[in-house]
Amino acid sequence: MASLRIIRNRIRSVRNTQKITKAMKMLAAAKLRRAQDAVIRARPYAQLIEEMLASLAEARARDELPPHPLMAVRPPHRVEVVMLTSDRGLAGGFNSNIIRRGQRFMTEESGRLERIQFSTVGRRGRDFAKKRGFGLRKDYLGFFGRLSYAQAREVANDLIEAYQKDELDAVYLLYNYFRSTIAQEIMLVRLLPLEPKPRKQEEQATKGGLIMPEHIFEPSRPAVLQSLLPRFLAMQIWRALLESEASEHAARMTAMDSATKNAAEMIGRLTLQYNRARQAAITKELMEIVSGAEALK
Amino acid sequence: MPLALEIVTPEERVVTVTCDEVRLTSVEGQFGIRPGHTPLVAVLAAGELVYIAGGTTHRYAAGEGFAEVSNDRVRVLVEEANRAEELDPHRAAQELQDRQKALASLKPGDPAYEQERANVERAAARLLVARRGR
């Protein structure tokens, strides 16, 4: 039987762990709220950029616009996956789900493709790619906790550069989409080549686009598109970064919540064990005294 | 006041206001918008953004982006928009200097050159507005 002292020490250590997980949970909850706010604040810009591109895409279908290098479709031989992970661990399945999806992409596609390489945001993804010896073009660290649009722009510009230099044929973005506090969804979307989607036919018919035929363009329609496409790309990366950050905190909050619950359960079990052991010790002592007294008679 | 102005950046909606006049910096130079303007889509360069509401002039340092005008509604989508009052001329000057130094270390053919040039332009816009705003 475990001695009383050992059990008492275990209870104390579990209780300390519980304090830590509880604090981490509260911290994650506060950060999650802020991250969710940021996601919502990014919406108006994203919507307007998307609407603008959609209206221009409708025009493009009517051959009014010249093709753009970022929309150039090449047979995909060299593909890059931009993987968003976190810098820190202890976030449940947040990183491992992303990494597993990345690995699956690798095994599924490597037969068909000439080369698959990765870019990573976050330390976890970088460490994974390095350990596995996967081609790593670029790794970005220290984004999360102080996200700014400039970071999304940096990632986008690096991709644009590689794509225009014909080093890559397609780029995918792999990240955690924040569905709710308890559910994050792995998303794998194609970033490049860009493929602006015109709105649905009925929508086009009923609602005028953001850009109407009577709009004048300064300096010109192609110039607007030229300027819009890189911003559209950066905006997509920006939103994914925000989603990923919210997901990270949500995943950590959930993980720390269940850790706190597990600790409470364990403390309960240990306390029961402790009380039983104490009771047994008392009973044993009593029996010894009684039998000692009996012997003296 | 008949012009509805909306300024949005990737990080937030900066301003939603009705005003009398908006002045923007496009890639081809500065221009103004008053009620009754023809529908327009303009590519904006980093520079000053001004709107006048009730006789008061409000200044912003804006990044690159777009302006869309139709039906007396002006929508400005820019990468950043900082109020003149919130900019510090000394810090802005220092930033511009740092950026220029970074740019000078690159050759025009360098792939990072365009990125850095954009950084210089944004910093220059901030300094310009910071000085005028005082």
Side-chain angles (χ1 to χ4, degrees):
Chain A
M1 184 195 286
S3 88
L4 286 175
R5 197 164 43 82
I6 290 175
I7 301 179
R8 212 181 315 134
N9 284 344
R10 282 214 58 195
I11 293 179
R12 198 182 310 138
S13 107
V14 173
R15 204 162 264 153
N16 284 339
T17 310
Q18 192 192 25
K19 273 182 202 152
I20 295 168
T21 56
K22 211 172 191 171
M24 283 184 80
K25 181 194 145 192
M26 312 254 259
L27 205 63
K31 284 184 179 170
L32 171 62
R33 256 196 306 279
R34 231 177 306 147
Q36 272 178 288
D37 273 357
V39 171
I40 292 165
R41 279 205 310 271
R43 263 178 212 158
Y45 180 88
Q47 252 161 25
L48 284 172
I49 290 267
E50 266 163 21
E51 270 179 49
M52 249 175 113
L53 192 58
S55 318
L56 280 175
E58 286 158 22
R60 186 167 153 267
R62 300 194 295 268
D63 290 327
E64 283 177 38
L65 285 173
H68 188 276
L70 291 182
M71 297 196 290
V73 180
R74 300 189 275 262
H77 295 307
R78 298 148 304 164
V79 167
E80 175 162 315
V81 179
V82 181
M83 191 157 74
L84 306 189
T85 59
S86 68
D87 284 333
R88 289 202 252 158
L90 289 179
F94 178 81
N95 288 308
S96 48
N97 288 345
I98 282 283
I99 285 168
R100 206 171 318 127
R101 186 69 186 86
Q103 257 172 320
R104 208 176 92 207
F105 185 84
M106 195 77 182
T107 42
E108 280 174 3
E109 305 289 325
S110 57
R112 231 173 309 160
L113 302 172
E114 198 176 297
R115 195 178 72 214
I116 301 177
Q117 60 183 25
F118 284 85
S119 269
T120 58
V121 178
R123 184 165 288 117
R124 297 277 144 171
R126 183 198 63 173
D127 292 352
F128 154 77
K130 281 209 170 140
K131 201 170 72 196
R132 285 310 176 93
F134 288 173
L136 188 60
R137 186 176 61 88
K138 199 123 192 187
D139 59 281
Y140 305 89
L141 294 179
F143 273 19
F144 297 107
R146 42 177 206 93
L147 280 179
S148 80
Y149 177 72
Q151 293 159 337
R153 189 167 53 208
E154 185 190 337
V155 176
N157 284 340
D158 289 347
L159 287 176
I160 290 168
E161 187 193 312
Y163 196 77
Q164 288 192 332
K165 279 201 297 197
D166 202 6
E167 289 169 0
L168 295 168
D169 301 316
V171 179
Y172 289 87
L173 181 63
L174 178 59
Y175 68 102
N176 273 287
Y177 173 75
F178 179 82
R179 187 160 292 291
S180 74
T181 311
I182 45 163
Q184 293 88 45
E185 205 174 302
I186 302 283
M187 299 287 254
L188 182 69
V189 296
R190 196 181 74 187
L191 285 180
L192 289 172
L194 281 173
E195 189 185 24
K197 286 188 194 69
R199 292 169 308 148
K200 292 188 196 79
Q201 286 292 333
E202 59 265 38
E203 211 180 324
Q204 282 189 44
T206 53
K207 216 174 95 191
L210 180 75
I211 295 172
M212 293 168 294
E214 56 266 37
H215 269 94
I216 328 168
F217 289 88
E218 278 252 354
S220 65
R221 220 177 230 277
V224 171
L225 187 72
Q226 178 85 33
S227 174
L228 191 58
L229 287 177
R231 300 220 148 82
F232 178 74
L233 184 70
M235 187 272 293
Q236 278 183 305
I237 294 168
W238 171 238
R239 291 196 89 176
L241 285 172
L242 294 173
E243 294 282 352
S244 180
E245 166 127 80
S247 299
E248 180 191 339
H249 294 311
R252 181 168 296 125
M253 196 178 96
T254 321
M256 289 300 120
D257 186 49
S258 60
T260 308
K261 278 189 191 130
N262 286 345
E265 201 180 295
M266 195 182 260
I267 289 168
R269 230 174 327 125
L270 286 170
T271 310
L272 189 67
Q273 209 182 339
Y274 176 78
N275 288 340
R276 274 200 193 130
R278 194 172 53 101
Q279 192 60 57
I282 292 167
T283 312
K284 204 175 130 211
E285 259 175 58
L286 269 178
M287 289 215 336
E288 275 164 10
I289 293 165
V290 171
S291 55
E294 285 287 318
L296 285 176
K297 268 182 196 164
Chain B
M1 280 176 275
L3 261 187
L5 170 69
E6 186 181 14
I7 306 175
V8 290
T9 69
E11 290 178 13
E12 62 192 335
R13 192 194 296 269
V14 182
V15 163
T16 315
V17 75
T18 47
C19 60
D20 306 302
E21 186 181 338
V22 182
R23 289 190 210 134
L24 297 162
T25 310
S26 86
V27 287
E28 297 190 319
Q30 294 208 320
F31 69 106
I33 296 156
R34 288 207 176 151
H37 199 285
T38 34
L40 168 81
V41 176
V43 180
L44 302 182
E48 193 180 36
L49 188 165
V50 175
Y51 72 86
I52 300 164
T56 322
T57 307
H58 302 262
R59 284 171 204 280
Y60 286 83
E64 315 89 318
F66 309 92
E68 188 266 335
V69 186
S70 55
N71 302 325
D72 287 345
R73 195 188 51 208
V74 184
R75 284 194 281 207
V76 177
L77 291 93
V78 283
E79 303 221 323
E80 58 178 56
N82 300 294
R83 268 180 79 92
E85 291 78 9
E86 283 158 18
L87 290 167
D88 172 18
H90 297 292
R91 230 188 92 200
Q94 186 60 47
E95 266 173 19
L96 177 60
Q97 224 172 42
D98 293 347
R99 289 302 189 185
Q100 277 170 333
K101 236 178 257 166
L103 182 65
S105 69
L106 297 167
K107 279 190 218 66
D110 195 299
Y113 185 83
E114 278 307 306
Q115 282 190 46
E116 203 47 54
R117 203 176 51 82
N119 286 335
V120 168
E121 278 169 17
R122 277 190 293 269
R126 282 195 294 268
L127 179 60
L128 174 87
V129 173
R131 285 201 174 137
R132 273 198 200 158
R134 301 273 140 177

